[in-house]
Amino acid sequence: MADTSALVSKLSSLGLKDSPVEHVAVENNEQWAEALATASGLPSNYVLTKTLVFKPKQPKSEPIAPIVVVIKETTTASSKAIGTELKLKDLRLANEDVLKDVFQTARGSVSPFALGQVPQEHIGNVRVVIDKALLTGDAQIAFHPLNSSQTVFVDSAALKAYIASVEGLQHVVEMDFTAEPAAAPVPKPAAKPAAKKSSAAAKTEDTAGLNKLGIQTPKSVDFSEWYTEVVLKSELLSRYDVSGCYIVRPRAYFVWQQIQEFFDAGIKGMGVKNCYFPMFVSSQVLEREKDHIEGFAPEVAWVTRAGSKELNEPLAIRPTSETVMYPYFGDWIRSHRDLPLRLNQWCSVVRWEFKNPQPFLRTREFLWQEGHCAYFGKEQAMRETLEVLTLYRRVYEELLAVPVIEGEKSEKEKFAGGVTTTTVEGFIPDTGRGIQGGTSHYLGQNFSKMFNVVVEDPASEAGADRAKLYVHQASWGLSTRTIGVMVMLHSDDKGLVLPPRVAETQVIIVPCGVNAKTTSEQRAAINDACLSVEARLRIVGVRAEADLRDDKTPAFKFNHWELRGVPIRIEIGPKDLESHIVTTIRRDTGARDAVQTDALETTVPLMM
C-alpha cells in the first residue's frame, strides 16, 4: 500500500499547510468534484487536475519510457502535440500493468506524487510534462496523494519543488497546451432555456455513466487501449494479481477449445499422438543446448526453493519443450523401425522477461500446443513442417475468419537452434502491421546431435560398429495468441465480434415490447416463445440462449450482448407473435431481417 503519511510529511516540508481532505474513493474527475462539493476545509480557490501516463512506440528490447502529463482538468492533452514537443512517435495511454509495475499505483489514483514510487532502474527513463496553465495564478492545485479517497491542495511552487526532489528524474518539460477559444459573451438566458440546458447536461452525465459499461476508447484513437478494453469488458480475460498473467474466462476458453478440437483432429489424421511431459527442466538438461537456451535465457523462470529449503539444483519452468522431451527420444528411438515418432502436447509454458504485457499476445504464462517429431530423413521432417503450417492457416481462415499467408522467417527471426522456421502471418489494417500467427520449424539434426538421438544405418553392414545416423526433427506450436489476433481484426467500438464457429453463444434471444401495460399473460407468452425458439435452434446444433432477465431493459441487453460479440440477436415482441415472425440482427454488419418462425431451423444456421 502507498505510504501516504511519508508523502504528506514531505509535502509539509515543501509548504503544505493543511492535512489531506478525506472523501469517498472516486474513479474520475466528475466523481471527484462531487466528493469535494460535500467536504469541508477546502481552500476558497482551487483547480482540479488530470495526470495522464503515456507510452511511446519503442522496440521491445528497450526499457519502458513512460511520459507523465500533469494538466488542468479543463486542458485537452493532445498525444500528437506532446509527441511533437518531446520528439516521440505514437504516444498511447499506458495500460494498468505499467501503472502498477512502474508507478506502484492504479488508474484513478495517478498523480505526480507517484513519481516518488518509481524504482531507480526506471526513473531515469521517465519524462514529465507540466501544463503551464497550472503554474500561473493563485489557485491551489488539487491532487490525490497516492489514493483516490484523499485530496491535497498545493501551490505551484510546492508542485515544482516536489518534482525537482525526485531523485534520478532527469526529463521535466513545461508545455503550453492549445487552449479552446473563449466563447463570445451571450445574454443571460431566460429561465426556460436554462432549464433545458440543465436537463441536457444531466442527460449527458447519465449517458456517460452508462457508457462506462462499454468501450470508452475508439479503435482509431488508441488501438492498444481499445484492445485491452475489449478483451476485459467482453469477459474474455480478467486481470490477475501477478503482473503479466491473466485469467482465461469461459468465453475465451471456449474459443480455445474449438481450436483444440479442430487442430487435434487434423494432427491425429496425420498420425500424431498426444502426450504430456512435466513442466520442470533441470538446469543441466536446459543448458546442454547452448544456442537454444541463449535464445530463451532472459525469459526462463526458475524455481529455487521448496518451502523454506533451497533446492540443490534450480529447476526451470519450461519456456518450450525441446530440452524437456528430446533426452527421452534418445531412450525410445533405437532403430529406424521406431521412426517416425510423432508427439504433441497441450500445455502451458512460462516466458517471464518482458516489460509490456498484452493480453493474449505477450503474457508470462500462456496455453498452447507443441508438436515434436523425429524422422529418418530430412524430406519427411520438412514435409510435416509444411503440412502443419497449412493446418495453422486453416485454423485462422476456417475457424477464426482471419486471412493469413504462409511464409518463411528470416535468419535473424528463426527459432533458436532450428534450421528453418515457417510461419503464418496476419495483417491488422488498423495498425498497418503484420502479426505472427503460428510457427512450424524444421530443426534438422541440431537437437538429435545434442541429445544423441540416433539410429543404426540400415544400409550399413550389421555388427557392433554399425554406422549411426542422427534423426531429423520438426517442432511446431500454436498458442492462445490466435484469440488476440481474431479480436484485433474483427472487433469494433461496440466491443467484441466473434466468428460464429467459435462463439460460445451463437444466438441470443431477447424479448421486446414488454412495458407497464403488458399483462402477465402476454409477458409469459413472449417468454415462452423465446424459450421455444431457443429449444428449436439447439436441436439443429445452434448454440442459442434466451435472455429473460426481468431487471434489464431490452436496450441494455442489446448492448450487453453486442459487447460480448454474440453473432446473431433475435428479437421477439407482441407483434412478432401475431405475425409469426422474428427479427434477426447480425453483430458484424448490423443487418436486420424478418424471418418466418417456421423457417428458423433452416434460415438461422445459414447465417452462420
Side-chain angles (χ1 to χ4, degrees):
M1 181 176 289
D3 188 357
T4 304
S5 60
L7 172 63
V8 172
S9 176
K10 182 170 184 177
L11 291 175
S12 297
S13 69
L14 299 175
L16 178 67
K17 298 177 181 178
D18 301 315
S19 299
V21 174
E22 304 282 346
H23 50 72
V24 297
V26 299
E27 296 182 355
N28 52 50
N29 277 41
E30 290 79 10
Q31 294 180 7
W32 193 10
E34 291 176 6
L36 291 179
T38 59
S40 58
L42 307 183
S44 58
N45 184 21
Y46 65 87
V47 294
L48 298 184
T49 58
K50 294 185 290 190
T51 302
L52 309 174
V53 180
F54 290 91
K55 184 174 74 68
K57 177 182 177 182
Q58 57 186 145
K60 295 176 182 177
S61 58
E62 291 185 4
I64 187 170
I67 300 101
V68 179
V69 180
V70 186
I71 58 177
K72 288 179 67 173
E73 179 194 25
T74 54
T75 297
T76 299
S78 164
S79 60
K80 184 176 181 179
I82 297 169
T84 301
E85 178 76 18
L86 301 179
K87 296 180 174 59
L88 296 172
K89 293 183 178 180
D90 294 343
L91 298 193
R92 299 176 180 180
L93 288 172
N95 59 29
E96 292 278 3
D97 292 307
V98 173
L99 301 183
K100 178 181 177 182
D101 295 345
V102 178
F103 296 94
Q104 324 295 310
T105 189
R107 198 180 302 276
S109 298
V110 183
S111 77
F113 306 132
L115 292 166
Q117 302 186 128
V118 178
Q120 283 300 302
E121 63 265 27
H122 292 306
I123 193 65
N125 298 317
V126 176
R127 293 172 172 84
V128 178
V129 177
I130 306 175
D131 185 0
K132 280 190 175 182
L134 277 178
L135 305 179
T136 59
D138 299 326
Q140 293 286 291
I141 308 170
F143 293 108
H144 293 307
L146 305 182
N147 70 72
S148 65
S149 62
Q150 293 181 320
T151 299
V152 294
F153 298 91
V154 300
D155 58 25
S156 59
L159 172 62
K160 294 172 69 173
Y162 177 83
I163 292 175
S165 72
V166 177
E167 184 178 352
L169 182 63
Q170 303 172 14
H171 311 287
V172 181
V173 175
E174 295 177 12
M175 182 173 170
D176 278 321
F177 289 86
T178 303
E180 291 291 330
V186 296
K188 185 176 180 180
K192 188 172 182 180
K196 286 184 178 179
K197 182 178 180 181
S198 175
S199 176
K203 185 175 181 180
T204 301
E205 291 171 4
D206 290 343
T207 303
L210 288 173
N211 285 342
K212 288 170 188 171
L213 296 174
I215 305 303
Q216 301 294 294
T217 306
K219 190 176 186 180
S220 60
V221 171
D222 189 332
F223 186 86
S224 179
E225 183 67 18
W226 165 85
Y227 170 75
T228 301
E229 279 194 60
V230 169
V231 298
L232 294 176
K233 290 187 176 181
S234 67
E235 298 176 349
L236 291 177
L237 296 178
S238 284
R239 296 187 185 278
Y240 193 59
D241 64 354
V242 176
S243 176
C245 296
Y246 297 87
I247 302 166
V248 181
R249 300 186 66 173
R251 185 166 288 105
Y253 200 81
F254 184 88
V255 178
W256 183 235
Q257 285 180 309
Q258 300 309 297
I259 294 171
Q260 281 182 305
E261 290 177 12
F262 181 92
F263 185 77
D264 212 47
I267 59 174
K268 284 178 178 175
M270 293 166 54
V272 179
K273 296 181 178 180
N274 283 321
C275 65
Y276 184 81
F277 278 72
M279 69 168 63
F280 299 112
V281 195
S282 70
S283 57
Q284 287 182 330
V285 170
L286 192 64
E287 290 167 4
R288 275 193 206 175
E289 219 306 305
K290 182 179 179 182
D291 291 338
H292 182 67
I293 190 57
E294 281 184 355
F296 284 104
E299 301 177 340
V300 175
W302 293 90
V303 178
T304 60
R305 177 182 295 182
S308 59
K309 183 179 179 181
E310 296 290 331
L311 298 182
N312 293 330
E313 179 185 8
L315 297 175
I317 301 176
R318 61 176 168 228
T320 181
S321 294
E322 280 76 9
T323 55
V324 178
M325 300 172 75
Y326 295 166
Y328 300 92
F329 277 33
D331 292 339
W332 300 341
I333 298 171
R334 295 298 185 186
S335 163
H336 68 278
R337 297 180 183 86
D338 296 325
L339 297 172
L341 178 60
R342 312 174 78 184
L343 300 178
N344 175 72
Q345 69 171 350
W346 296 91
C347 61
S348 69
V349 292
V350 173
R351 298 181 183 176
W352 199 263
E353 182 59 32
F354 57 85
K355 301 297 183 183
N356 302 311
Q358 280 191 302
F360 292 121
L361 304 179
R362 288 174 59 81
T363 58
R364 289 196 163 128
E365 181 188 15
F366 56 88
L367 300 172
W368 78 342
Q369 61 72 215
E370 51 178 324
H372 297 273
C373 301
Y375 286 91
F376 184 75
K378 173 182 178 179
E379 182 179 345
Q380 297 167 300
M382 195 64 202
R383 184 187 305 122
E384 177 182 284
T385 300
L386 298 178
E387 285 178 355
V388 170
L389 192 71
T390 298
L391 263 183
Y392 287 162
R393 176 180 57 77
R394 291 184 60 202
V395 166
Y396 276 100
E397 295 183 348
E398 296 179 27
L399 282 185
L400 306 179
V402 173
V404 293
I405 59 172
E406 300 178 16
E408 185 175 321
K409 290 284 192 182
S410 68
E411 190 68 21
K412 290 183 179 179
E413 294 177 305
K414 74 178 184 180
F415 180 68
V419 174
T420 301
T421 290
T422 63
T423 178
V424 289
E425 304 274 330
F427 178 74
I428 309 301
D430 296 271
T431 65
R433 298 174 184 172
I435 187 165
Q436 177 179 295
T439 50
S440 184
H441 318 283
Y442 168 59
L443 305 177
Q445 297 171 307
N446 292 344
F447 285 91
S448 62
K449 289 178 180 178
M450 181 55 57
F451 294 98
N452 198 35
V453 186
V454 297
V455 297
E456 292 181 342
D457 184 355
S460 65
E461 295 183 6
D465 297 326
R466 194 171 187 178
K468 301 289 193 295
L469 297 176
Y470 292 103
V471 302
H472 291 258
Q473 292 179 265
S475 71
W476 23 272
L478 187 76
S479 75
T480 42
R481 181 184 186 89
T482 49
I483 303 175
V485 176
M486 174 196 71
V487 172
M488 290 191 293
L489 185 66
H490 296 311
S491 301
D492 57 26
D493 289 346
K494 293 181 180 179
L496 182 66
V497 176
L498 283 172
R501 290 191 65 176
V502 295
E504 184 176 32
T505 301
Q506 295 173 313
V507 175
I508 190 70
I509 306 155
V510 180
C512 300
V514 177
N515 53 44
K517 296 181 180 180
T518 306
T519 66
S520 58
E521 291 79 8
Q522 290 173 321
R523 188 186 304 269
I526 295 171
N527 286 350
D528 288 345
C530 291
L531 291 173
S532 174
V533 170
E534 175 189 87
R536 289 168 58 189
L537 290 177
R538 286 185 175 184
I539 289 172
V540 295
V542 175
R543 296 186 289 273
E545 180 181 341
D547 186 349
L548 304 183
R549 292 176 291 175
D550 58 8
D551 62 331
K552 303 298 182 186
T553 65
F556 180 94
K557 295 176 184 179
F558 298 165
N559 291 325
H560 177 90
W561 294 111
E562 282 182 346
L563 175 62
R564 288 156 180 79
V566 174
I568 296 174
R569 182 174 78 245
I570 291 180
E571 299 174 6
I572 303 177
K575 293 183 179 179
D576 297 319
L577 291 183
E578 295 173 2
S579 304
H580 302 289
I581 63 170
V582 299
T583 301
T584 63
I585 299 91
R586 288 180 52 141
R587 172 65 180 89
D588 58 344
T589 65
R592 302 174 68 92
D593 288 293
V595 176
Q596 294 292 325
T597 54
D598 59 4
L600 282 170
E601 288 89 342
T602 55
T603 303
V604 172
L606 291 175
M607 298 174 68
M608 303 293 179

